[in-house]
Amino acid sequence: LDLLFNMLLAFVALFVLSFALIQTQSNKNNNNAEVKAEFLVTVTWSGEIDADVDTYVEDPLGNLVFFRAREVQLMNLERDDVGFANDVIQTSSGPVKYKENIEVVTIRSSVPGEYSVNIHLYNSKISKLPITVKVKVDKINPYSTVLFKEVQLEEDGQEMSIGHFELDKKGKVISTSEYEQSLIKKHSVENL
């Protein structure tokens, strides 16, 4: 009888201990990957096209995020896609290819004022022109699409204004507009 009681006690103790460990591990996993962004700017073009399309985003304070300034104040260029160049990695199982062409800029907090979004065809490499590019600006909380535009880039070096959106003090989008403005010339990016 004592042996059965001790086995039952040991079983209950192991059961309680395993639950505690599962709960602790679950909490650790949830806290490790917390990502905060208020806006996402996503630029995509066909994965079959070997071209380098660059994204430029200017905040109301005049800060510019792009491939040479990937982290500026509250904005980050998460991925600078240069076409096929970095799309294949070698693993022990063989090559793994990423077939998407995508650049993503995150805006982590809202600064009141106007944001500008431009794209630039840095190099079409051997791809045929024109290149269809889709640009989307999403507000994350609450979710809504602020801007969406599909455009054609027709020659190397072409810069195009996608749109502008203005935020109030609470981070609410109060207006959007479209007008041409060269962020490359404004910030003398060629000279950096």
Side-chain angles (χ1 to χ4, degrees), residues 108-123:
R108 295 187 312 273
S109 187
S110 303
V111 174
E114 185 179 82
Y115 290 79
S116 301
V117 179
N118 283 18
I119 59 172
H120 174 243
L121 180 54
Y122 187 80
N123 186 348

Side-chain angles (χ1 to χ4, degrees), residues 8-24:
L8 180 63
L9 188 59
F11 179 73
V12 170
L14 288 173
F15 184 75
V16 170
L17 183 63
S18 67
F19 253 132
L21 291 174
I22 290 171
Q23 187 66 24
T24 302

Side-chain angles (χ1 to χ4, degrees), residues 3-170:
L3 180 63
L4 288 176
F5 180 74
N6 285 338
M7 285 178 52
L8 180 63
L9 188 59
F11 179 73
V12 170
L14 288 173
F15 184 75
V16 170
L17 183 63
S18 67
F19 253 132
L21 291 174
I22 290 171
Q23 187 66 24
T24 302
Q25 188 66 29
S26 174
N27 288 341
K28 283 182 183 176
N29 289 341
N30 289 340
N31 292 335
N32 284 343
E34 186 173 327
V35 177
K36 175 108 168 76
E38 294 299 321
F39 292 88
L40 288 178
V41 179
T42 309
V43 177
T44 58
W45 62 101
S46 171
E48 303 299 318
I49 296 175
D50 187 15
D52 183 0
V53 176
D54 290 321
T55 307
Y56 294 78
V57 179
E58 182 185 52
D59 72 6
L61 303 174
N63 298 306
L64 182 69
V65 67
F66 66 110
F67 67 94
R68 289 189 186 151
R70 294 177 66 135
E71 185 174 331
V72 179
Q73 299 294 321
L74 298 171
M75 301 183 297
N76 287 76
L77 174 61
E78 302 294 334
R79 182 165 196 265
D80 178 24
D81 197 312
V82 294
F84 294 167
N86 296 322
D87 286 354
V88 178
I89 61 168
Q90 295 297 331
T91 68
S92 60
S93 302
V96 175
K97 183 173 182 182
Y98 183 75
K99 297 182 180 184
E100 300 294 323
N101 285 324
I102 183 169
E103 289 202 0
V104 177
V105 173
T106 57
I107 302 171
R108 295 187 312 273
S109 187
S110 303
V111 174
E114 185 179 82
Y115 290 79
S116 301
V117 179
N118 283 18
I119 59 172
H120 174 243
L121 180 54
Y122 187 80
N123 186 348
S124 60
K125 302 182 183 177
I126 59 171
S127 296
K128 293 181 181 178
L129 295 172
I131 297 171
T132 301
V133 180
K134 296 177 184 177
V135 182
K136 188 173 168 185
V137 178
D138 293 315
K139 180 168 177 24
I140 303 303
N141 291 310
Y143 181 82
S144 64
T145 298
V146 176
L147 293 170
F148 177 79
K149 197 170 188 182
E150 185 172 312
V151 297
Q152 301 285 320
L153 293 176
E154 298 177 354
E155 63 184 0
D156 285 356
Q158 180 182 1
E159 180 185 10
M160 184 177 290
S161 289
I162 298 303
H164 312 270
F165 59 98
E166 187 175 355
L167 304 180
D168 65 12
K169 291 180 181 180
K170 294 182 179 181

